[in-house]
Amino acid sequence: MSISLAPLLLALLAPGDLLLEDTRLATLPEGVVLEGEPITDPNGDPYQVVHRVVWSPDGRRVAYVGIKDEATHPVIGDEVLDDYHYISAPEFSADGEHVLFRVGNRRTKSRELWSLLYDGEEVGGEDWIGEPSLSPDGLAIAYWIQPGARVTSSGPYNRGSQTFCLSERKGSKWKTSKSPKYDDASSLNRPVFSADGKVVATSCMDGAQWSILRFTRGKKKPKAEGDFFSPWVDLALSPDGKFKLYVSI
């Protein structure tokens, strides 16, 4: 036997209590589109580039990568920011107050400059930055960097050691803690924060084995633990960051 709650809810409402309102969050700015020109993947198959609109967790804000006059721009609400050659999809903090993009520009045939775009303002500048993650409170950013990264003549980056960074906002400034250098890292997977935002985890090549690297906010040095045959493809932390669940390939 099934019971529908809709008649009961309607009966409890007096006439005029049930109101639906339309709220405009943003409009697509003039000249901005979400679909780019088709590109060809490494297998030779063409596919359509479509940038998705990302909602804040509270559903009150949107951000996305927009295309205008063949250039890509970060867009926050109705605001179109400066164009960049490379832009990753945005990420909001848990309260929806802060939004983060990863952006980069090609400077020469072999050199690029990458930054973090936090609430529309650039943070840092590196030869290469991996996919970043924003803490739930929006006041810390976790990411990998590769100092000295260069684009080779065949297309990909040269191999080089990577360093894990945790940048914490202190007033209007940022303070960055860095790990030792590692031979390799899962830097194209976003680091994972615990629900309370106090611990962030990722994985790296520590010696001859892959390890889980945990960074606790407020402490200077991260902790690498465990030996694995390959990097993880998914990682989850308990709310307090003490326990982890990972899947490796």
Side-chain angles (χ1 to χ4, degrees):
M1 178 179 180
S2 62
I3 300 175
S4 175
L5 296 179
L8 176 59
L9 292 174
L10 289 175
L12 294 176
L13 292 172
D17 283 350
L18 184 61
L19 299 176
L20 299 177
E21 296 183 3
D22 291 332
T23 301
R24 182 177 68 85
L25 299 179
T27 59
L28 200 64
E30 184 176 357
V32 174
V33 297
L34 298 177
E35 294 187 4
E37 293 293 327
I39 61 176
T40 303
D41 66 18
N43 296 322
D45 299 320
Y47 69 92
Q48 182 69 50
V49 174
V50 181
H51 297 289
R52 64 186 180 90
V53 174
V54 176
W55 292 70
S56 62
D58 60 7
R60 296 181 179 274
R61 303 179 68 195
V62 294
Y64 54 91
V65 178
I67 302 171
K68 183 177 182 180
D69 299 328
E70 299 183 356
T72 51
H73 298 256
V75 183
I76 304 174
D78 291 326
E79 183 181 8
V80 181
L81 305 178
D82 291 339
D83 64 290
Y84 294 88
H85 294 149
Y86 316 107
I87 310 175
S88 291
E91 180 186 12
F92 280 96
S93 58
D95 60 6
E97 293 296 321
H98 305 285
V99 60
L100 179 70
F101 289 88
R102 166 182 176 254
V103 297
N105 277 324
R106 177 68 66 90
R107 296 301 190 189
T108 68
K109 289 183 178 180
S110 62
R111 300 191 64 178
E112 297 175 346
L113 178 63
W114 289 80
S115 304
L116 301 169
L117 200 64
Y118 178 86
D119 291 344
E121 296 184 6
E122 287 189 13
V123 177
E126 301 288 345
D127 294 319
W128 187 79
I129 295 178
E131 288 289 348
S133 186
L134 188 60
S135 63
D137 63 5
L139 300 180
I141 308 171
Y143 54 99
W144 286 93
I145 62 172
Q146 183 183 335
R150 297 291 184 269
V151 181
T152 64
S153 58
S154 58
Y157 289 97
N158 62 314
R159 290 187 60 85
S161 59
Q162 299 185 48
T163 301
F164 188 58
C165 299
L166 181 65
S167 295
E168 298 185 76
R169 193 178 186 187
K170 305 293 184 181
S172 61
K173 298 182 179 181
W174 292 85
K175 181 179 180 180
T176 301
S177 300
K178 296 183 178 180
S179 75
K181 295 179 180 179
Y182 292 98
D183 292 335
D184 203 355
S186 55
S187 46
L188 288 178
N189 292 325
R190 292 181 186 267
V192 177
F193 276 94
S194 58
D196 61 11
K198 294 181 179 180
V199 178
V200 62
T202 180
S203 68
C204 64
M205 177 71 80
D206 185 21
Q209 297 287 340
W210 283 90
S211 298
I212 299 297
L213 187 69
R214 288 201 299 180
F215 220 139
T216 301
R217 289 168 66 176
K219 294 187 177 181
K220 294 183 178 180
K221 294 183 179 181
K223 181 181 180 182
E225 53 194 38
D227 294 326
F228 309 96
F229 293 107
S230 59
W232 58 271
V233 294
D234 204 1
L235 175 67
L237 294 175
S238 61
D240 59 7
K242 293 183 179 179
F243 302 96
K244 57 189 178 298
L245 172 67
Y246 59 87
V247 178
S248 62
I249 56 176

